[in-house]
Amino acid sequence: MTKPPVPNNWDNNWQRIPVDPTDPDTAWILKLAVSGADGWALGPHGPLHDRGMALADITTGAVRHGLLHLLELGLIDIDTERLRQAGSFPLRRELPEEPTP
């Protein structure tokens, strides 16, 4: 897969890589990430046991543990060259959310 170039300034949009969440391999990765996030959320350090946790803390914890789960399993790699090339990153997804299965 050829990745689109990294934008060279803040005014340029990032070209997105198309991802099909219904593709069986992609769906499997998503399920594993959700399992990592759910494990944290339902575990002793998650919001189920810390009912005073702010929504932002819940989101951060779930995303962090879902991504760490995939990284630890070796299923995703960090493109450090691309990471270091970029001067800025979009903070929100531009695509509409896919329906929850």
Side-chain angles (χ1 to χ4, degrees), residues 7-59:
N8 57 7
N9 68 53
W10 287 71
D11 296 325
N12 293 347
N13 289 330
W14 278 70
Q15 292 179 337
R16 303 299 176 124
I17 298 168
V19 176
D20 177 7
T22 64
D23 172 75
D25 291 336
T26 303
W28 195 10
I29 292 292
L30 290 171
K31 183 175 182 170
L32 289 168
V34 168
S35 293
D38 285 350
W40 169 79
L42 301 173
H45 303 291
L48 185 66
H49 297 285
D50 182 357
R51 300 213 182 262
M53 198 176 283
L55 181 57
D57 294 330
I58 295 170
T59 302

